[in-house]
Amino acid sequence: MQFLLAFTVVGPLLGAAAALLPAPPGLKGKSPDQAVLRHGVTVTGVILLAAIVLAIGFDHDRPSRMQATTDISWIPALDVRIHLGIDGISLPLLVLTALLTFLCALYSYFKMPSGPSPKAFVALLLVLESGTLATFAVLDLVLFFLAFEMVLIPMYFLIARWGGEGRRAAAWKFILYTLLGSVVMLLGLLLIGVQAGTFDMVALAADNGRGLSTTVQITAVLAIGLGLAVKTPMWPLHSWLPDAHTAAPTVGSVLLAGVLLKMGTYGFVRIVLPIAPDGMRTFAPYLAGFAVAGIVYGSLACLALVRPGAKGDLKRLIAYSSVGHMGFVLLGIATMTPTGVNGALFANIAHGLVTGLLFFLVGALKDRYGTADLDTLAGATGAALYGRAPRLGALLAFAAVASLGLPGLAGFWGEMLALFGAFEPAEGLSRPAFLTFMAIGAFGTLLTAAYLLLVIRRVCMGGPRPAGETAIADVQGYEFAAWTPLVALTVLAGLWPAVLLGLTDPAVQQLLAGGTR
């Protein structure tokens, strides 16, 4: 298990280096491009298999304990260690990352985005996977920062080189926002490490802020929180996200929404909550206020985009919907309760599954029609995608109702638990304020349902296909293979939430108690 976790983190880096080498003569297939794309599928498939074996071998009776740990001194002068480990909080995110990256590699094998050499594309995809997996597996503040930064350059190039219209401006906006946020976050991480005398996240969580003064905690939470809020993204630091999603290739959007946004909220749970609880308690009402503002703002932006004649882009609409969905995650974290934090973690996984599927589907529509403009799609489909491509229409409707939080699907539980957490926030937080936030968040769920149902009505529903017009290509075999796992897991998580909550709850209970349970 110890070796397997280390291999899961480092394996994609080795695969990225191998992708840049010439393909052996017997493995070239029809062309070198096909060989390197097949290499990407193979490496990500092996990493997914390793992550699944980790999940199977995980001690589910003790999910609050760090497992598969590696702890090696790296920079003795600063007491920086190569410390890896997983618990019930990080394991689901690790598996989600491995799954989405494999599905993206598989999809790209059949539908490579237009751009430069596939060698560079596959290498960047694997470096991105390694950095994301490391973020969820490392247990040292310095390593966390390095892994956090490792994903920025690959994502920048995926947007700038393989993206669509406006890709360079969107890529620059993405890198500038996130780098500026990271600089501030680094100052907070260093402050904690210097004041506490260690960068070890397990030791710091067990101490539960007792070795840090309230002033240090408040300063650290402000600095780290700003950096994490940019990555999440939290309103009003979200403006890089819609441009990045609109310009990114399909697989870039899937990974950006499904994986990269989770790094910010994971940082709040793993670092801010247990290590600086007094500082977090000071800022929790403000975090909750920004969270519910993001919920309402994201929904209103989507309603504006979906109006007929607004020339709204469907990819942009889903990007704004992510601002709202991540608002529920932040609201759950801000409650500082087991219920709210469990809801945040559940909503994280649900958002990765559902929004990943949505971006895959919108990418397929854009490939077929050459645009994601809602007015064009509504007209081009005769307002009846069901009639032209019934399976594609059904999947789009399924993903939309899962995103709006329909009971029985994954999106429901995270939002509900986050709102329940706000109903009874942690001791020391103003209950009237959080009841107000809960009411605003609940109103946001109605707005979410409104714009997603409008998307279904405009793009999917209507009369039969006009006579003489040919149907567009329905779901292809490779699309079916890439999307089916997301559909199945969305249903499974909705019908059987205990699978995920059974992992996260004991770990959250211990994290909030400072390792005393």
Side-chain angles (χ1 to χ4, degrees), residues 1 261 295 303 462 476:
M1 292 286 285
L261 302 190
I295 293 171
L303 283 170
Q476 305 294 298

Side-chain angles (χ1 to χ4, degrees), residues 402-433:
S403 185
L404 64 82
L406 184 73
L409 298 177
F412 171 72
W413 295 105
E415 294 181 3
M416 185 193 72
L417 289 173
L419 294 175
F420 277 2
F423 182 76
E424 194 72 51
E427 185 179 351
L429 299 179
S430 168
R431 193 180 181 213

Side-chain angles (χ1 to χ4, degrees), residues 357-422:
L357 177 60
L358 274 170
F359 275 117
F360 268 133
L361 292 167
V362 175
L365 279 177
K366 192 170 183 178
D367 289 338
R368 285 158 171 78
Y369 289 107
T371 181
D373 178 74
L374 272 163
D375 290 333
T376 304
L377 287 177
T381 58
L385 186 58
Y386 290 150
R388 286 173 173 258
R391 294 182 184 86
L392 190 58
L395 281 171
L396 182 61
F398 169 84
V401 297
S403 185
L404 64 82
L406 184 73
L409 298 177
F412 171 72
W413 295 105
E415 294 181 3
M416 185 193 72
L417 289 173
L419 294 175
F420 277 2

Side-chain angles (χ1 to χ4, degrees), residues 214-276:
T214 302
T215 302
V216 169
Q217 290 192 40
I218 290 173
T219 306
V221 170
L222 179 60
I224 297 171
L226 281 173
L228 297 174
V230 172
K231 180 75 80 176
T232 299
M234 180 186 76
W235 180 90
L237 303 174
H238 68 283
S239 62
W240 62 268
L241 183 68
D243 292 338
H245 271 309
T246 305
T250 297
V251 294
S253 293
V254 171
L255 292 175
L256 184 58
V259 177
L260 266 68
L261 302 190
K262 312 301 174 282
M263 293 164 60
T265 52
Y266 174 78
F268 275 108
V269 174
R270 177 65 74 196
I271 297 173
V272 178
L273 274 176
I275 295 176

Side-chain angles (χ1 to χ4, degrees), residues 40-334:
V41 176
T42 303
V43 173
T44 55
V46 170
I47 298 302
L48 174 60
L49 181 62
I52 292 173
V53 173
L54 270 174
I56 293 172
F58 187 81
D59 186 353
H60 292 262
D61 292 329
R62 292 190 292 176
S64 61
R65 184 174 67 89
M66 283 296 171
Q67 302 181 32
T69 55
T70 298
D71 192 0
I72 303 170
S73 179
W74 184 34
I75 308 176
L78 299 177
D79 194 29
V80 177
R81 311 183 67 80
I82 298 176
H83 193 182
L84 305 176
I86 52 171
D87 63 358
I89 292 171
S90 52
L91 178 63
L93 290 166
L94 198 82
V95 176
L96 176 68
T97 300
L99 172 65
L100 285 178
T101 311
F102 168 70
L103 297 181
C104 285
L106 179 65
Y107 187 85
S108 299
Y109 179 77
F110 294 96
K111 193 69 179 178
M112 172 70 193
S114 58
S117 162
K119 276 192 173 188
F121 176 83
V122 170
L124 290 169
L125 192 69
L126 292 173
V127 172
L128 181 69
E129 179 182 31
S130 180
T132 312
L133 290 170
T135 302
F136 299 135
V138 298
L139 297 172
D140 183 276
L141 291 179
V142 175
L143 282 186
F144 176 84
F145 175 78
L146 294 177
F148 202 86
E149 296 304 285
M150 184 176 167
V151 305
L152 300 185
I153 301 303
M155 181 53 71
Y156 166 81
F157 281 110
L158 286 175
I159 297 171
R161 303 301 299 276
W162 286 270
E165 185 180 352
R167 60 184 182 271
R168 294 190 184 278
W172 272 111
K173 197 171 186 179
F174 162 76
I175 199 76
L176 288 175
Y177 263 78
T178 50
L179 279 178
L180 287 173
S182 297
V183 169
V184 181
M185 182 177 74
L186 177 60
L187 296 176
L189 295 175
L190 292 176
L191 176 63
I192 287 177
V194 170
Q195 291 293 320
T198 180
F199 290 100
D200 188 86
M201 290 158 65
V202 175
L204 288 167
D207 188 61
N208 203 219
R210 286 182 287 269
L212 301 172
S213 68
T214 302
T215 302
V216 169
Q217 290 192 40
I218 290 173
T219 306
V221 170
L222 179 60
I224 297 171
L226 281 173
L228 297 174
V230 172
K231 180 75 80 176
T232 299
M234 180 186 76
W235 180 90
L237 303 174
H238 68 283
S239 62
W240 62 268
L241 183 68
D243 292 338
H245 271 309
T246 305
T250 297
V251 294
S253 293
V254 171
L255 292 175
L256 184 58
V259 177
L260 266 68
L261 302 190
K262 312 301 174 282
M263 293 164 60
T265 52
Y266 174 78
F268 275 108
V269 174
R270 177 65 74 196
I271 297 173
V272 178
L273 274 176
I275 295 176
D278 293 337
M280 180 63 186
R281 194 169 289 107
T282 299
F283 286 107
Y286 302 101
L287 179 63
F290 284 122
V292 296
I295 293 171
V296 175
Y297 171 83
S299 298
L300 292 177
C302 290
L303 283 170
L305 288 170
V306 80
R307 285 186 299 109
K311 291 294 180 182
D313 186 284
L314 189 51
K315 286 188 75 175
R316 196 173 190 84
L317 182 144
I318 296 171
Y320 274 111
S321 78
S322 292
V323 176
H325 288 305
M326 300 314 290
F328 282 102
V329 177
L330 292 173
L331 176 62
I333 293 170

